[in-house]
C-alpha cells in the first residue's frame, strides 16, 4: 500500500493537481512515524504507510487547507469521521483539500509495545507480526495483540 500511496502522491504533484501532500514520515525510530508535508516528488521517498501511521490527518488538514493551492491528504476510514465533522464546523476549507481514501488494517499501540519491551529501541511491522527490538534482544508478536483499542473494534477493518 505504501508504494501505491507514493505513486498517487507523485502523480498528483507531477500534474499540478495539488501543491503539497499531507502524509506520514518515518522518525528516528521505526515506530515514531509523524505527519509530514511533501511538496516535491523527490521528498516522497520519505513517505511511509504502515501500522505506525496512527496520526489522524484530519486535524492537520485544518492548517493545510488555509494555504494557497490544494493539499492532498490521505485518510484512513477512521480519519474520515473527524474530517467530515471538521467540514461541518467550517474548520477545513474543502475547496483546498484533495482527499484520497486509503484502506487500513489497524494501527499499533505504542503503549502495548512498551509493555512487552520496556526499553523499546525499534519496531518493524511485517504484516501479521511485529518485530520489537530492545536492549534484551528482539521479540516477534502477532500484530493483533498490539492493535490500538479503537482498531480492535473498527467496522472498516477486515477481520
Amino acid at each position: 500500500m505504501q508504494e501505491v500511496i507514493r505513486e498517487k502522491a507523485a502523480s498528483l504533484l507531477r500534474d499540478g493537481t495539488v501543491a503539497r501532500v499531507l502524509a506520514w514520515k518515518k522518525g528516528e525510530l521505526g515506530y515514531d512515524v509523524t505527519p509530514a508535508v511533501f511538496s516535491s516528488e523527490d521528498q516522497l521517498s520519505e513517505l511511509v504507510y504502515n501500522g505506525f501511521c496512527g496520526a489522524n490527518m484530519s486535524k492537520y488538514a485544518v492548517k493545510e487547507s488555509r494555504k494557497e493551492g490544494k493539499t492532498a491528504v490521505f485518510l484512513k476510514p477512521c480519519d474520515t469521521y473527524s474530517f467530515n465533522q471538521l467540514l461541518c464546523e467550517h474548520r477545513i476549507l474543502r475547496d483546498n483539500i484533495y482527499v484520497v481514501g486509503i484502506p487500513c488494517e489497524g494501527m499499533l499501540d505504542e503503549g502495548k509495545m512498551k509493555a512487552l519491551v520496556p526499553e523499546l529501541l525499534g519496531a518493524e511491522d511485517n504484516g501479521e507480526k511485529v518485530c520489537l527490538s530492545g536492549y534484551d534482544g528482539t521479540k516477534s508478536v502477532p500484530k493483533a495483540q498490539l492493535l490500538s483499542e479503537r482498531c480492535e473494534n473498527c467496522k472498516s477493518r477486515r477481520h
Side-chain angles (χ1 to χ4, degrees):
M1 181 53 52
Q2 177 175 284
E3 286 307 314
V4 172
I5 292 172
R6 280 184 184 164
E7 183 49 45
K8 180 65 174 176
S11 172
L12 292 169
L13 285 169
R14 190 179 315 118
D15 68 16
T17 302
V18 299
R20 71 198 66 77
V21 173
L22 177 59
W24 303 267
K25 177 179 169 179
K26 186 176 179 180
E28 288 187 32
L29 303 170
Y31 61 89
D32 67 338
V33 173
T34 185
V37 176
F38 304 92
S39 55
S40 72
E41 282 187 69
D42 297 339
Q43 298 172 323
L44 294 176
S45 63
E46 297 179 39
L47 187 153
V48 297
Y49 184 66
N50 55 36
F52 305 110
C53 296
N56 183 337
M57 288 295 149
S58 296
K59 69 180 186 179
Y60 299 96
V62 172
K63 180 180 175 184
E64 295 304 315
S65 75
R66 302 286 188 252
K67 294 180 178 176
E68 191 171 321
K70 280 192 184 270
T71 300
V73 60
F74 291 90
L75 298 178
K76 303 181 298 293
C78 60
D79 297 346
T80 62
Y81 302 123
S82 56
F83 183 83
N84 287 329
Q85 182 61 39
L86 291 167
L87 281 175
C88 290
E89 295 171 2
H90 305 289
R91 293 181 58 203
I92 292 176
L93 301 178
R94 184 62 180 98
D95 290 342
N96 292 348
I97 297 290
Y98 186 101
V99 175
V100 181
I102 55 175
C104 177
E105 293 299 321
M107 295 295 138
L108 300 165
D109 184 316
E110 185 177 337
K112 288 182 180 181
M113 291 187 293
K114 287 185 174 178
L116 293 173
V117 180
E119 295 176 349
L120 189 63
L121 299 174
E124 187 177 331
D125 179 3
N126 296 321
E128 295 297 316
K129 294 204 178 261
V130 178
C131 185
L132 305 174
S133 304
Y135 288 117
D136 296 332
T138 61
K139 183 182 282 192
S140 185
V141 181
K143 185 173 181 174
Q145 288 181 16
L146 300 173
L147 287 179
S148 171
E149 186 177 334
R150 68 178 186 216
C151 298
E152 290 174 359
N153 302 309
C154 178
K155 294 179 277 190
S156 299
R157 191 171 66 84
R158 287 177 267 156
H159 298 279

